[in-house]
Amino acid sequence: MSESPLFLLAEHTTLGVGGPAAHWREARTHVEIQAALAWASERGLSTVVLGGGSNVLAADRGIDGLVLRLRNAKLQASRAGDVARITVGAGMNWDAFVAWTVAEGFSGLECLSGIPGEVGAAPLQNIGAYGQEAGRVIRRVEVVDRATGATEELSQEACEFGYRESIFKTKLAERFIVVEVEFELSKGPALVAYGELERALENEPEPSLLRVRETVLNLRRAKSMLLDPSDPNGRSAGSFFVNPGVSHHEADAVEERARALAVHAPMPRFTQGAKQKLSAGWLIEHSGLTKGTRRGQVGLSTKHCLAVVNHGGATAEEIVKFATEIRQRVRDTFGVTLTPEPRPLGFLPGELAALYD
Ligand SMILES: Cc1cc2nc3c(=O)[nH]c(=O)nc-3n(C[C@H](O)[C@H](O)[C@H](O)COP(=O)(O)OP(=O)(O)OC[C@H]3O[C@@H](n4cnc5c(N)ncnc54)[C@H](O)[C@@H]3O)c2cc1C
């Protein structure tokens, strides 16, 4: 394990905000994770796991507990015919893993190319993009219980994957540290079943896994959804709000409100189970907060309305204020309450009530 005197969260989060962590350590093995948890517990400190910092909103005051970073990045594959079980350490870079699967000819993750962060965070919100979700090919998640230090295994079913959701965000939130994830992937063709991707590849009847990966990376680059320090829209947490799921009746009511406001652009709505999934970006844009809207050093991406961008030097407080304004505006305009996607770190209970409740 290693520890350094200063760990500024702003330097380890893609939104570029957050004060110092009182303590931080790196762990490579179960034993090191357990030792770090025991070290924090003996001192009455809380432990926060930080991966790539691409889906967190860290408080300006920082964190007075322990920030733990996992550095186990092993990849082990056992193959049987065209199928492989691949066990990947939580600390491996997500996109490096996806690139490996594509190079090996395994389909199932190619559409998730370019998502920032590490493998350990992937099950938490069941990362998804362009018609694929990680949870569909995750077979097992190995975790350490924060309270007892014991190792446990959760099956795919036990993880209760849903849209940007899993048991790690709901019933078992904050209980486990994900140590490794086992995926089951098969050799096979790429998935092209998402409008934007289909259009980009319409002249290529059977694109290879690599072609789909490249196309997804290009689409993401065009929307500033890749980590790129030279991109003026690049300092974000990706989508700041998840697409809301509402009843049919509520979706009709939102459409009705849009008509009354003379919004001519058709409202995207998709059936997902018993719910209608609406587009958070569309709702934001048509509530009057258009692309590029700025409040000082914080703003909406100029490429799309779903990313809140730190244009340099913004504080977490300013981001919270702007995101709360967006949420209020959408609620006032359409009667829909948006849920933020980044996980808050270091805020006091109740401090973010207007944004997260
Ligand atoms: C430009 C951009 C584009 C993005 N596009 C997408 C997208 O298309 N689809 C999508 O789903 N997401 C997207 N995201 C969000 C983000 O990349 C993913 O949610 C990613 O999985 C977060 O990984 P991370 O390692 O950065 O996690 P972090 O941000 O470090 O952590 C996120 C949460 O997970 C917890 N956590 C992290 N690692 C562990 C672990 N090992 N065990 C237990 N808890 C852990 C943290 O405590 C925190 O609560 C995007 C983000 C950015 C910045």
Side-chain angles (χ1 to χ4, degrees):
M1 282 187 283
S2 56
E3 185 163 12
S4 143
L6 186 65
F7 184 96
L8 201 55
L9 284 151
E11 291 171 3
H12 297 276
T13 59
T14 58
L15 259 173
V17 296
H23 309 274
W24 75 278
R25 283 167 187 253
E26 292 185 344
R28 279 172 185 77
T29 62
H30 285 69
V31 172
E32 288 182 355
I33 293 169
Q34 284 152 348
L37 287 171
W39 182 91
S41 162
E42 280 158 21
R43 289 160 181 77
L45 299 171
S46 59
T47 303
V48 165
V49 183
L50 190 68
S54 63
N55 211 13
V56 290
L57 173 58
D60 294 321
R61 72 170 66 79
I63 291 178
D64 61 7
L66 172 68
V67 168
L68 184 62
R69 311 200 80 192
L70 303 188
R71 287 291 174 250
N72 55 334
K74 71 158 191 189
L75 184 155
Q76 255 172 1
S78 71
R79 301 165 199 247
D82 282 349
V83 182
R85 289 267 179 154
I86 305 147
T87 305
V88 190
M92 184 167 192
N93 174 273
W94 173 261
D95 192 51
F97 169 51
V98 174
W100 180 89
T101 67
V102 167
E104 293 289 315
F106 292 116
S107 66
L109 295 175
E110 62 280 2
C111 297
L112 305 186
S113 294
I115 297 181
E118 294 171 3
V119 168
L124 261 92
Q125 74 155 7
N126 180 20
I127 55 171
Y130 298 99
Q132 271 176 348
E133 283 182 341
R136 291 198 200 138
V137 290
I138 290 176
R139 289 292 168 265
R140 183 183 64 87
V141 178
E142 190 170 307
V143 295
V144 166
D145 190 320
R146 286 163 190 266
T148 63
T151 302
E152 286 185 35
E153 289 191 359
L154 277 81
S155 66
Q156 180 187 48
E157 202 178 24
C159 290
E160 297 183 7
F161 292 120
Y163 167 71
R164 298 295 179 277
E165 204 172 85
S166 74
I167 200 157
F168 305 109
K169 275 178 77 177
T170 53
K171 288 181 225 161
L172 300 181
E174 309 304 326
R175 174 152 166 207
F176 292 128
I177 293 174
V178 174
V179 180
E180 63 182 37
V181 184
E182 186 180 292
F183 300 82
E184 184 178 297
L185 298 175
S186 309
K187 301 256 176 180
L191 179 77
V192 183
Y194 187 88
E196 201 184 348
L197 189 56
E198 284 171 328
R199 285 191 292 281
L201 288 163
E202 64 189 349
N203 297 324
E204 299 175 50
E206 283 176 21
S208 66
L209 292 168
L210 186 58
R211 244 335 257 143
V212 170
R213 171 172 164 78
E214 286 168 355
T215 308
V216 166
L217 290 174
N218 288 337
L219 289 171
R220 295 184 73 94
R221 191 171 294 111
K223 290 193 280 186
S224 300
M225 289 298 268
L226 284 183
L227 282 188
D228 175 359
S230 66
D231 183 339
N233 289 301
R235 208 176 287 121
S236 79
S239 303
F240 199 92
F241 296 99
V242 295
N243 290 326
V246 300
S247 68
H248 273 269
H249 177 70
E250 284 164 327
D252 291 345
V254 176
E255 254 173 354
E256 194 49 54
R257 284 198 193 208
R259 262 194 298 275
L261 290 165
V263 174
H264 298 300
M267 184 186 83
R269 56 189 280 187
F270 309 94
T271 303
Q272 195 167 64
K275 297 247 166 167
Q276 291 284 287
K277 198 57 71 189
L278 308 184
S279 157
W282 189 94
L283 293 169
I284 293 168
E285 182 145 30
H286 294 289
S287 75
L289 294 168
T290 49
K291 292 174 194 139
T293 298
R294 286 281 287 258
R295 299 286 181 261
Q297 287 308 95
V298 181
L300 290 176
S301 166
T302 58
K303 306 282 183 58
H304 64 99
C305 285
L306 209 40
V308 171
V309 175
N310 172 1
H311 287 288
T315 61
E317 192 182 341
E318 287 167 322
I319 289 173
V320 168
K321 195 168 166 215
F322 183 48
T324 307
E325 178 191 338
I326 297 171
R327 195 177 191 235
Q328 192 58 47
R329 183 78 85 100
V330 169
R331 190 187 275 160
D332 291 347
T333 313
F334 293 113
V336 176
T337 300
L338 296 179
T339 304
E341 195 181 292
R343 311 293 292 159
L345 294 184
F347 290 91
L348 302 175
E351 203 176 1
L352 294 179
L355 183 56
Y356 279 84
D357 284 353

